[in-house]
Amino acid sequence: MKHNLAQDLEQCALPSALEAMGERWSFLILRGALSGIRHFEEFQSTLGIARNILANRLARLVENGIMLRQPMQCDRRKVEYRLTEKGEDLAPAMIALRQWGEKWGCGPISCQVLADGRDRQPIRKMTIQAHDGRTLDLSDLVWLCVDEETPVADARSPETVKAA
């Protein structure tokens, strides 16, 4: 049976993942959490986000299992927000998005460089890698289905190929 790429893409996890994250503020909250911010007031003052929007986005991230809201050990009246394993797994995507933005001039150049904590050397550019660590280009990728494979480049419609 020949697969219809449009139908296969309807089952893609990307739209659901984007829905779980929300929008810009959710990504900035995640960036703050990845940098060690834990408290509502810290998120609010660091990001300059309105309190109602922050409360809404934090609740959504908790609801989607990306962050955990828990009472602080030292003062049970206060809460802290921590990334879950699911939230920590977003780090590579966040780093890749930042590197893309830096490459294509989507914002100011940052003086901060993300580095390996052990040897203080900058991390490598995020890449698509094969199971054996080889860096792959888009032309190296295929969509696999049980009964066939389709090269990623061939999966584009003729209109997309002409526009590229």
Side-chain angles (χ1 to χ4, degrees):
M1 175 176 115
K2 179 109 173 109
H3 285 269
N4 178 324
L5 185 60
Q7 289 175 335
D8 288 347
L9 288 178
E10 287 179 12
Q11 298 173 5
C12 176
L14 183 59
S16 297
L18 291 172
E19 187 66 31
M21 277 302 295
E23 43 62 79
R24 177 181 189 264
W25 285 118
S26 297
F27 283 97
L28 295 177
I29 291 166
L30 179 62
R31 179 190 65 183
L34 288 166
S35 298
I37 296 175
R38 301 274 180 265
H39 307 285
F40 187 96
E41 293 76 19
E42 289 177 292
F43 283 112
Q44 204 271 322
S45 64
T46 303
L47 300 176
I49 183 174
R51 295 180 71 82
N52 62 326
I53 294 172
L54 176 58
N56 177 284
R57 297 311 182 269
L58 284 169
R60 187 174 184 168
L61 291 168
V62 168
E63 180 183 308
N64 286 308
I66 295 167
M67 295 187 83
L68 181 66
R69 183 181 190 272
Q70 59 190 34
M72 290 180 57
Q73 300 246 341
C74 61
D75 185 350
R76 307 296 277 171
R77 295 170 295 170
K78 295 183 179 180
V79 298
E80 64 181 8
Y81 294 88
R82 294 198 169 268
L83 291 169
T84 62
E85 181 181 356
K86 184 177 179 179
E88 290 174 354
D89 279 351
L90 283 164
M94 296 289 295
I95 293 166
L97 206 55
R98 177 181 169 155
Q99 289 176 345
W100 178 85
E102 289 170 344
K103 177 180 178 177
W104 294 103
C106 294
I109 295 176
S110 175
C111 63
Q112 291 183 324
V113 175
L114 193 56
D116 180 338
R118 184 184 71 191
D119 60 17
R120 302 292 207 229
Q121 293 298 310
I123 65 167
R124 288 184 179 177
K125 177 181 172 270
M126 299 296 287
T127 60
I128 302 169
Q129 296 185 342
H131 64 94
D132 60 4
R134 289 176 293 120
T135 298
L136 302 173
D137 292 324
L138 286 179
S139 62
D140 298 318
L141 303 177
V142 296
W143 291 107
L144 294 179
C145 296
V146 175
D147 55 357
E148 72 176 84
E149 68 181 55
T150 305
V152 172
D154 290 352
R156 298 185 298 174
S157 69
E159 296 79 27
T160 307
V161 173
K162 288 177 188 174

